[in-house]
Amino acid sequence: MPDSRHPAFKFGFIWAALLIALFGGFAMGAHVAYIVGFGYPIGKSYYALIQTHGHLQLIGWTGLFIIGVSLYFFPRMSHNPVGVGKQNAILGLLSVGLVLRFVVHNITPYVILTAWFKPLNWVIFLSGIMEWLGVLVYIIVLLRSMTAGSAGARLKLETIRPLLLMTFAGWILYTTVQVTLLFDMVRTGELVLDSSWNALSVTAFIYLVLLPVCFAVSIRTFPLYLRLPVVRWSVPAFAGIYFISVLLQLGWFLQPSVYAGIILKNILILWFIWKLDLFSGLKRLRTFFRKEPEIVHRETAREKYPDYDEWGRFEWLIRSAFLWLAVGAILELVSGISFVFNLAIYINSDAVRHLVVLGFVTLLIFGMAPRMIPGFIHVKKIAYPGLVTGTFWLGNTAVVFRVFPILVRGKIPWEPVLGAMYGWSGVIGMAAILLLAVNLYRTARNK
Ligand code: HEM
């Protein structure tokens, strides 16, 4: 018999994600961007910093957020709780692993010529093992929760199941490649992971974990949160073709496959955004029945939305997130087509990557967190709806500052301005994270 007694939302995942983002991932990104943007010399820790920044952002910031929300959201849909002990184990393994990686990979560049280097490199490997185990437990418990229980309960997850299964494949692929690369790094006495395999695992994580989970959550929640039409197309068919496109892209040893994958994948992403109807959907309002009691601080629902402004302007963040995803998809599509037809149009791949991970995924989290998380802890209003607007402006400024300079570098003559924008991008990103953290903290205190 499935157990219907679900444990309370584990806020620890959100705190860990915010702390690792603020003091780890974003702080390291800000540091590197400042050095590069203002022309300071690059130190010997540069590549270790970049790799650790990328890893902390992917697994610590977006990953912990996704794990925390999914362990609350999906077991409730299938009526199969995931126990507190298992959630604690996942949180413990991942946070300790991430903190070890953060601290020790920041030290090794400075002790490379000493006897400390090898043992510390082993500690980094150990951190990878801890993360790998944490992810394994996560996948096992979520898979069990999704597959056990009554057929009726499982049916609720039917539409998005292929997207979720794809994310599991992505988690396993990323963490397994990372552990293998860490072992190789220790074995060969290197300071950093092999860059091409690392880049491949990063791409796998972004397109097999981050995008599918964002798609799944959008499909399930936007009809409710934004009054958008429910999906009337085949999500499994979409997921299947999308999965093939990403596999083609990851087949990096076969050049034609890579570009076929890139072109197909980006067409699918654009098609998905189009079908969500995010930008024209307000014309097609669906009838909405409000189930929760009304909120007192405003008398009437917001025009065209089913809420009373109690979550702030979260939809601005969601719309801008998808706008950045569309820009990233168009740019990567252009670069794929340019390669196939020898057009010599160069698009900076790091700009595309940050349009997706910062512009899309991070802004989507900024928008979804104030809308979703208060409900998880039974609070009917975000503490400061105005701060959501602040997050919108800071978040979007961080995206523009981080991406625009590297897209136009060498094409327009404003080097000092572009450098300064790039240099401040990370600090602005940190300020956005701080606003979200303060807002969620106060909301949790208001419980
Ligand atoms: C404003 C905020 C951010 C700043 C200032 C920043 C800065 C940087 C910099 C300077 C690099 C090195 C680029 C290069 O190789 O030329 C980098 C790489 C990277 N960043 Fe960010 N970043 C930010 C946000 C993010 C976010 C939110 C994520 C993911 C959620 C992310 C994931 C990555 C990844 C995966 C890499 C590649 C790492 C590797 O090569 O192993 N970044 N970032």
Side-chain angles (χ1 to χ4, degrees):
M1 274 293 284
D3 187 356
S4 59
R5 286 162 296 137
H6 293 271
F9 176 57
K10 182 121 204 85
F11 226 116
F13 283 105
I14 306 302
W15 296 141
L18 288 165
L19 287 174
I20 290 174
L22 189 59
F23 298 109
F26 272 86
M28 294 175 89
H31 175 62
V32 177
Y34 197 89
I35 290 174
V36 174
F38 290 101
Y40 290 102
I42 292 172
K44 51 186 162 189
S45 62
Y46 183 76
Y47 293 105
L49 273 179
I50 289 178
Q51 283 188 351
T52 312
H53 152 78
H55 181 73
L56 290 181
Q57 293 288 60
L58 294 180
I59 306 299
W61 163 232
T62 61
L64 283 176
F65 224 102
I66 288 167
I67 292 178
V69 170
S70 62
L71 285 176
Y72 179 89
F73 197 70
F74 298 121
R76 274 170 173 73
M77 284 177 73
S78 62
H79 300 302
N80 284 298
V82 172
V84 184
K86 288 169 191 149
Q87 298 200 37
N88 284 342
I90 298 167
L91 179 60
L93 283 165
L94 281 167
S95 345
V96 175
L98 285 159
V99 171
L100 273 182
R101 173 92 175 251
F102 169 49
V103 174
V104 182
H105 220 166
N106 268 293
I107 297 175
T108 47
Y110 300 96
V111 295
I112 193 159
L113 297 176
T114 71
W116 287 99
F117 180 67
K118 207 168 175 77
L120 286 178
N121 245 3
W122 277 108
V123 176
I124 300 179
F125 173 67
L126 179 74
S127 78
I129 295 281
M130 293 182 82
E131 291 177 26
W132 185 80
L133 283 174
V135 166
L136 204 65
V137 178
Y138 164 66
I139 289 172
I140 291 171
V141 298
L142 204 55
L143 255 180
R144 268 208 208 139
S145 161
M146 282 165 57
T147 47
S150 72
R154 276 183 282 138
L155 205 65
K156 286 201 213 155
L157 278 170
E158 199 63 35
T159 342
I160 54 170
R161 182 169 289 118
L163 289 169
L164 296 179
L165 293 178
M166 198 183 330
T167 68
F168 297 158
W171 276 107
I172 292 286
L173 187 63
Y174 176 81
T175 45
T176 308
V177 173
Q178 284 286 312
V179 167
T180 314
L181 293 181
L182 287 173
F183 180 73
D184 197 52
M185 177 182 88
V186 178
R187 191 183 58 81
T188 52
E190 290 290 334
L191 184 59
V192 289
L193 285 70
D194 176 89
S195 61
S196 45
W197 282 101
N198 180 52
L200 191 86
S201 70
V202 165
T203 307
F205 190 82
I206 294 172
Y207 291 105
L208 290 180
V209 177
L210 296 184
L211 258 62
V213 86
C214 292
F215 290 165
V217 172
S218 313
I219 287 170
R220 287 302 309 190
T221 61
F222 287 2
L224 188 69
Y225 293 173
L226 299 169
R227 287 186 170 177
L228 291 181
V230 287
V231 164
R232 295 192 200 289
W233 41 272
S234 169
V235 178
F238 169 81
I241 307 173
Y242 174 84
F243 186 55
I244 292 170
S245 74
V246 179
L247 290 186
L248 284 174
Q249 178 179 357
L250 294 177
W252 55 277
F253 39 86
L254 298 168
Q255 283 291 309
S257 124
V258 176
Y259 289 96
I262 286 177
I263 291 171
L264 180 59
K265 181 195 76 186
N266 287 298
I267 290 173
L268 287 167
I269 292 174
L270 291 170
W271 183 86
F272 180 85
I273 300 172
W274 170 258
K275 292 305 273 186
L276 269 186
D277 210 11
L278 253 180
F279 299 99
S280 61
L282 296 180
K283 290 187 217 124
R284 297 203 239 147
L285 293 186
R286 139 190 128 81
T287 314
F288 181 83
F289 299 99
R290 192 181 174 87
K291 291 188 193 121
E292 295 163 20
E294 291 189 4
I295 302 300
V296 288
H297 72 115
R298 224 173 131 148
E299 282 171 5
T300 48
R302 276 197 300 152
E303 200 186 340
K304 297 175 180 165
Y305 292 96
D307 60 72
Y308 293 76
D309 208 11
E310 65 269 38
W311 321 112
R313 307 312 299 264
F314 69 96
E315 78 281 3
W316 289 2
L317 280 150
I318 293 177
R319 287 212 164 77
S320 47
F322 277 91
L323 202 65
W324 291 126
L325 178 64
V327 174
I330 290 169
L331 290 177
E332 209 188 24
L333 187 61
V334 169
S335 89
I337 292 172
S338 148
F339 179 85
V340 173
F341 295 101
N342 265 325
L343 300 180
I345 303 172
Y346 172 72
I347 307 281
N348 186 310
S349 61
D350 182 56
V352 172
R353 179 167 52 209
H354 280 81
L355 278 168
V356 176
V357 292
L358 178 64
F360 175 57
V361 184
T362 301
L363 291 202
L364 193 63
I365 293 177
F366 285 170
M368 293 298 275
R371 178 62 188 84
M372 264 188 157
I373 289 175
F376 290 179
I377 53 169
H378 312 294
V379 177
K380 301 249 174 272
K381 178 181 177 299
I382 189 86
Y384 305 114
L387 283 194
V388 179
T389 311
T391 325
F392 168 83
W393 287 112
L394 287 172
N396 278 289
T397 308
V399 179
V400 174
F401 279 24
R402 175 64 183 80
V403 169
F404 183 70
I406 51 175
L407 273 178
V408 299
R409 184 172 292 153
K411 297 182 185 106
I412 59 173
W414 304 337
E415 251 341 292
V417 179
L418 296 177
M421 285 169 79
Y422 191 78
W424 286 113
S425 63
V427 179
I428 298 170
M430 288 174 76
I433 291 277
L434 190 64
L435 286 199
L436 175 66
V438 168
N439 219 354
L440 291 180
Y441 178 74
R442 291 302 310 182
T443 306
R445 289 281 302 267
N446 288 347
K447 204 177 158 196

